[in-house]
Amino acid sequence: MDTDGTQDARGTHATPVPRPAGPPNGSGAEPPPPRPVRPPRPTGAPGGSAGTATPPLPHGGDFLAWLRAPRPEAAPGVWRLRHTPRPEQEPEVTPARQLVTGAVIAFLVGWLVWSLLWNGYLGGWWLLPLYAAIPDSWAEPHTLGAVIVVYAYYGAVAFGLMIAVGRLGRWGELWRRFGPPAWRRAAPAAPVRPPAPGEDPAEWPELRAAGAVAAADRLAADARTGLMRDVDLARIARAWQGVRNGRHSMADFARAVTDEGAAACLHPSGARDLPGRSARHDLLTAQVRIGTTADDSRNPYHYRGAGLGIGPDLLGTGLLAVGPAGSGKTGSVVWPLTESLCLQALAGRAAVIVVGAAGAGLGAAEGYDVVVRIGHPDSVYDLDLYGGTTDPDEAAAVLAEALVGDLAEPHPGGDSRRSTTILAQLIGPFRAVHGRFPSVPELRGLLDGAPGPLDALRKALTESGQDAMLRELDARARQSGHPGDVGGVLADRVALLDRPAFAGFFDTAGQGRPFSLRALDHPVRVRIDLPQRGHADASRILARLVLAQFTASVAVREDRSLFACLVIDDATGVITPDAVRGIQRLRSSHAGAVLTLRTLDDVPRPLRGPLLGAIGCRMALSGLTPWDGQDFAEVWGKEWTEARDVTDRQIIAETPLGKTVHALRRVITGRAVTARAVTVRQVERERWSASELAHAVPPGHAVLSLTTVRGEHAPPLLVDLRR
């Protein structure tokens, strides 16, 4: 057994999952440079040599420490690896100066009281219990029993006085904050003891309980000797899940693991890791760390200082990041999430489609199975214009969304619906005659209404007896040129794709290697480079096409145990009414979308509210405009908070002595003598106002709200994306 059940070809897929893509024989343009990696590993380190990049998870003992590290349950978005939970509410903390001053004053008061008692200035009443307890026979001087009782009584009184003074001066809190307990917290944590054999995850107790002892022994040995890495662990755990679900036989799984160890159940690409990892990943929880929640009063106390981790449980509701150029959308958000999804694809858990401009810094070609460089002559793969479907109506709907979706009205019956009908009236008859869908030049000729292509198609339909399709074509001919006909608009949009730069792309005759989003049944890693330089309008059409094909494909997947995610770096011009509806349906299909925008002005005004409502995770980066901040402030709503109104009222002295004292205090402090009145009330205020989002978010930070697929929410959090 060499798969986990998610990589086998199924159903309608004509080709298996492709291998890693790159220019043939190394020719063509260079791929985008990889992101910076961690410092080189020292010479002689396990698993590599000097000059190679250090993986985020070293092998050997460090791997075992990572595997055995605690991962407590936490609030949505909290980085669970070695997380220390905090209370929900912030405890009241006395200022250090006040605490030390109070402790010293209490000690001096206690010392004064003891001195007064010892020297008899307060009388001998406190010795009456002592006199009552000493027998007459002990009253002699220098009697040992009397001396013991007297000094024991003195010690008891002093001890009681010390306890009272300690409570008054809060010596216990002073000890906890500045004494040995604080020193122990500041000291490095002691090494964690290995868990018991039956509870050690490195020993694979589930496999042993199921009878696969030899497989468990092989995996445990690979983990101890440094031959296993985090991707191997996640991939084999995924394969074991397939055995438990009944998709694979126990014998095949045990044989593969026993023979190959940590290299069993490989991804079809044969890769066991990504080249040059840069983000912090925890594949046991499927999280990637993108920052640290700021220690800010606007953040809930139990989030402050905690790492922020994003996983499929959050991406399943969608993520929208809005911020100007240079705010860190690609480097701090898109790339870590993409890297995490690619690692999960290697583990057989996810399929990822990444769409962005060529050279946008979305990783090297070696990290993907398919790289589609649209408009690049050396691109190995092409993009299927019709999404791999054989249904003309479905193909027409997807293509219409790509061509004129941005012109459609935000209600049913807009241009997109009419465009779908027009395209179906043309590509349906064409497929009936030729057995394939029209290419871009052929489709443009049909939409232009030129007599030649239409007459030839009509003649072929008549000769083959395709009466139903002939009626479709005649209906299109009658509507052509009438007021309200959008055929001309469709022809103009198709003309943007019918350019010399795209002459070798969107082939429908079977001459190329088209990639279809129907491959989302497999754990595939795909990068689609858009030709934004010189072809901005065509790039927006293609981005809408990929989004429309993605939302249509994930809904009909056979294997929904794979998490499918679409990442679009710069979704300008991509958001349409149908796109918003498609994003809303992704959660039920175990899929998600990550979108970035420079500004919400790139989304039509009627669609901004529905888009923010359809997306579960919303991120506003630093540098946001006030009008964009207003949209975020409205969707995040308001909360009840405690408002404190402080009023200083000047005190007027009536007596000469009082006036003298007030004048002296005014000379010393420089301020008039006042009495402070504090009023506390509950008010409803915006969680983050538009002004705060525009001016109070520091560089390198973002405000992020989270929603999980289970419906759990996290309020807007100020996050430092640089840590």
Side-chain angles (χ1 to χ4, degrees):
M1 171 183 167
D2 58 359
T3 71
D4 63 355
T6 60
Q7 299 124 11
D8 302 324
R10 287 197 182 106
T12 60
H13 308 297
T15 57
V17 179
R19 303 295 174 180
N25 301 324
S27 61
E30 291 295 327
R35 290 172 53 85
V37 296
R38 297 195 174 194
R41 184 185 297 138
T43 304
S49 60
T52 60
T54 303
L57 282 176
H59 306 300
D62 290 338
F63 172 80
L64 293 178
W66 167 82
L67 178 59
R68 295 164 176 166
R71 293 169 175 84
E73 294 295 329
V78 172
W79 176 254
R80 291 174 51 192
L81 179 61
R82 298 186 179 92
H83 171 62
T84 302
R86 303 177 71 177
E88 292 286 337
Q89 299 295 329
E90 182 177 7
E92 294 185 5
V93 178
T94 306
R97 179 178 179 181
Q98 179 180 345
L99 184 64
V100 173
T101 302
V104 172
I105 292 176
F107 174 77
L108 294 177
V109 170
W111 183 266
L112 177 62
V113 172
W114 175 251
S115 299
L116 295 176
L117 290 175
W118 182 263
N119 294 309
Y121 293 111
L122 297 181
W125 55 269
W126 64 286
L127 296 173
L128 293 177
L130 177 63
Y131 296 149
I134 296 178
D136 294 339
S137 58
W138 289 6
E140 300 290 338
H142 308 295
T143 302
L144 179 61
V147 172
I148 293 175
V149 171
V150 168
Y151 280 99
Y153 181 75
Y154 289 165
V157 173
F159 183 73
L161 182 60
M162 184 176 63
I163 291 177
V165 170
R167 289 182 177 274
L168 181 64
R170 288 176 289 194
W171 290 359
E173 184 177 352
L174 187 68
W175 175 265
R176 289 189 297 271
R177 288 177 58 179
F178 302 105
W183 305 343
R184 287 194 295 269
R185 289 194 298 269
V192 180
R193 292 184 178 180
E199 301 175 357
D200 188 357
E203 297 294 331
W204 296 84
E206 291 188 3
L207 270 64
R208 297 182 187 279
V213 178
D217 289 340
R218 175 64 188 272
L219 293 176
D222 285 0
R224 288 192 299 268
T225 57
L227 299 178
M228 179 178 289
R229 56 188 77 187
D230 58 341
V231 178
D232 300 329
L233 178 77
R235 187 185 64 251
I236 295 173
R238 166 75 176 176
W240 172 245
Q241 182 183 7
V243 173
R244 294 179 57 188
N245 293 339
R247 293 192 304 229
H248 311 300
S249 70
M250 181 68 178
D252 291 342
F253 171 82
R255 186 184 312 112
V257 173
T258 303
D259 294 343
E260 303 176 25
C265 311
L266 281 179
H267 185 266
S269 67
R272 296 173 60 186
D273 208 341
L274 290 178
R277 283 206 227 173
S278 60
R280 295 179 59 185
H281 303 275
D282 183 22
L283 289 182
L284 279 185
T285 58
Q287 287 184 313
V288 56
R289 181 163 178 160
I290 66 170
T292 302
T293 309
D295 190 4
D296 188 272
S297 59
R298 287 169 291 196
N299 288 337
Y301 180 72
H302 61 286
Y303 273 102
R304 297 179 195 171
L308 187 74
I310 303 293
D313 59 330
L314 294 170
L315 295 181
T317 63
L319 187 147
L320 174 65
V322 181
S327 58
K329 298 187 300 296
T330 301
S332 300
V333 180
V334 172
W335 172 244
L337 294 177
T338 299
E339 191 175 69
S340 174
L341 291 167
C342 288
L343 287 173
Q344 293 180 51
L346 291 180
R349 295 176 175 176
V352 56
I353 311 292
V354 184
V355 181
L362 298 176
E366 292 77 13
Y368 294 91
D369 304 311
V370 175
V371 176
V372 182
R373 299 183 176 97
I374 300 177
H376 197 289
D378 293 324
S379 179
V380 177
Y381 291 93
D382 191 3
L383 181 65
D384 191 332
L385 194 64
Y386 299 97
T389 183
T390 58
D391 183 2
D393 292 328
E394 181 181 349
V398 172
L399 189 56
E401 168 66 12
L403 293 176
V404 296
D406 57 330
L407 302 179
E409 300 293 333
H411 56 76
D415 291 338
S416 183
R417 183 74 58 86
R418 294 192 293 270
S419 301
T420 301
T421 303
I422 292 173
L423 289 171
Q425 290 171 341
L426 293 175
I427 66 177
F430 189 95
R431 179 175 176 79
V433 171
H434 299 281
R436 60 177 177 85
F437 290 123
S439 63
V440 171
E442 292 169 335
L443 181 60
R444 181 184 180 184
L446 293 173
L447 288 171
D448 281 336
L454 290 176
D455 291 344
L457 183 58
R458 182 178 291 105
K459 180 180 179 181
L461 289 172
T462 303
E463 293 176 351
S464 60
Q466 301 278 351
D467 295 336
M469 292 301 174
L470 188 59
R471 288 194 298 270
E472 287 284 297
L473 190 61
D474 291 339
R476 174 63 201 136
R478 290 192 301 270
Q479 297 167 2
S480 178
H482 287 191
D485 181 53
V486 296
V489 176
L490 287 169
D492 292 341
R493 290 299 180 92
V494 173
L496 295 173
L497 302 180
D498 189 18
R499 306 299 303 161
F502 307 137
F505 287 84
F506 318 122
D507 176 69
T508 59
Q511 301 299 318
R513 299 182 65 184
F515 169 75
S516 168
L517 268 73
R518 297 284 176 172
L520 291 175
D521 269 343
H522 305 282
V524 65
R525 303 165 294 163
V526 182
R527 194 187 79 196
I528 301 176
D529 293 345
L530 300 178
Q532 289 190 349
R533 184 176 181 180
H535 301 279
D537 292 334
S539 295
R540 286 192 284 270
I541 290 175
L542 295 173
R544 288 196 299 271
L545 177 66
V546 174
L547 178 57
Q549 291 183 359
F550 179 81
T551 55
S553 298
V554 295
V556 296
R557 285 188 303 163
E558 298 177 11
D559 184 7
R560 294 196 179 184
S561 64
L562 282 175
F563 177 72
C565 190
L566 173 66
V567 181
I568 300 182
D569 187 32
D570 190 4
T572 301
V574 176
I575 305 303
T576 66
D578 284 344
V580 172
R581 288 189 286 269
I583 291 172
Q584 289 175 330
R585 295 190 294 266
L586 291 180
R587 185 187 307 189
S588 60
S589 301
H590 195 205
V594 178
L595 310 174
T596 69
L597 292 168
R598 293 187 179 92
T599 172
L600 287 176
D601 287 340
D602 293 333
V603 179
R605 167 55 66 181
L607 294 178
R608 294 180 196 174
L611 174 64
L612 291 173
I615 293 288
C617 304
R618 313 172 189 98
M619 176 182 287
L621 289 94
S622 61
L624 209 67
T625 60
W627 42 92
D628 283 348
Q630 184 61 43
D631 291 322
F632 278 99
E634 290 178 0
V635 75
W636 282 331
K638 300 180 179 181
E639 64 177 346
W640 288 100
T641 185
E642 188 179 84
R644 299 170 63 89
D645 296 330
V646 181
T647 304
D648 287 335
R649 179 179 59 83
Q650 185 175 355
I651 301 176
I652 305 300
E654 301 294 342
T655 63
L657 179 60
K659 293 180 180 180
T660 302
V661 173
H662 284 194
L664 182 61
R665 289 184 59 180
R666 189 181 300 108
V667 170
I668 296 174
T669 63
R671 294 179 297 178
V673 180
T674 59
R676 174 168 296 182
V678 179
T679 303
V680 180
R681 55 194 177 92
Q682 294 291 323
V683 296
E684 192 177 21
R685 291 180 177 172
E686 291 178 326
R687 298 177 184 270
W688 278 83
S689 68
S691 178
E692 288 177 325
L693 290 172
H695 306 294
V697 179
H701 289 64
V703 180
L704 171 64
S705 64
L706 303 170
T707 303
T708 70
V709 293
R710 296 182 299 274
E712 300 173 302
H713 296 271
L717 305 169
L718 180 62
V719 180
D720 186 351
L721 300 175
R722 302 167 301 183
R723 300 171 58 190

